[in-house]
Every structure is written in structure tokens, then in C-alpha cells.
Amino acid sequence: MKLVIAGLVLVGAVLAAPPLRLALDESAVPPASTFPDLPDGARVTSVDMGCGSGGCWQELTVLAPAGMTGAALADEVAPEGGDCPVRSLIDLRRVCTGVVATGTLDEPDATDIVRLYVQYDRS
């Protein structure tokens, strides 16, 4: 019986470690691989990191493919404005993905853009 209890405590500690580590490291950001897949023809123009009172995040600026607006690209890669799923049973940290803004670059050949973010949910 003691062995079963010890095993359950060990499993609980392993499952709790990633969220607890996240609570202690406010500068942690999800890897770039957690960004949603982009459609063919979309082009990443910059990858930035920002921090605020809710933690830190990574942000992608993406040029929409020809014939697609920034708003259409945002709807395709982040439906309903965002999502915060759990990554796996082993890593219980929730990774939020969403749209920061859509718009048009102020350049002579204006191209539609979308800015996406990923960050850990700290609630």
C-alpha cells in the first residue's frame, strides 16, 4: 500500500512540475513551434518577444498570401480569435494562441498582415 501511495505522489509531482515551474518563471514563452501552421504563400516578416504584467509572449508578423486579406488569414489560423489548449497529459501548461491585430502595412505596395501571439496561460 505504501508503494502505491509513493507511486501516486511521484506521478503527481511529475505532472505538477511544468505548471509550477511556469508559475516561478514569468519570462517563459512557448517555443515558436506552437504557432499555428500558416497557409502556403504566407510569409513571416518578424518574430518578436514582449513582456507585460501577464507574463511574456512571442509575436509573429505574417504577410498574407496573394489574394488573402489579413483578416481572412487571422480567421484561418486562429478561429474565434484564440485558443488555450493543454499541450499534453505530461505537460499541463496551457498555450494560448491568438491574433494581436490585422491591418495593412503603410507602404507603397500595401500588403495585408496579421500579428499572431503565443503565450502560456497563467490563470
Side-chain angles (χ1 to χ4, degrees):
M1 183 67 172
K2 289 182 182 181
L3 187 58
V4 171
I5 293 173
L8 290 174
V9 168
L10 180 62
V11 168
V14 168
L15 291 176
L20 290 175
R21 189 173 60 239
L22 179 62
L24 297 174
D25 183 5
E26 291 188 14
S27 65
V29 294
S33 63
T34 58
F35 278 104
D37 293 331
L38 299 173
D40 290 339
R43 191 168 49 105
V44 175
T45 61
S46 70
V47 179
D48 300 305
M49 185 174 146
C51 292
S53 62
C56 295
W57 61 89
Q58 281 199 68
E59 190 174 296
L60 282 185
T61 302
V62 181
L63 295 175
M68 181 181 268
T69 65
L73 175 60
D75 287 342
E76 183 173 324
V77 298
E80 300 177 17
D83 194 16
C84 293
V86 172
R87 295 174 67 181
S88 71
L89 288 175
I90 303 300
D91 187 351
L92 298 176
R93 297 175 292 184
R94 293 170 42 102
V95 176
C96 298
T97 303
V99 176
V100 176
T102 61
T104 305
L105 293 174
D106 294 326
E107 295 179 356
D109 59 342
T111 307
D112 286 328
I113 63 166
V114 63
R115 289 187 1 233
L116 307 169
Y117 70 89
V118 291
Q119 74 180 67
Y120 289 119
D121 179 26
R122 297 181 186 282
S123 56

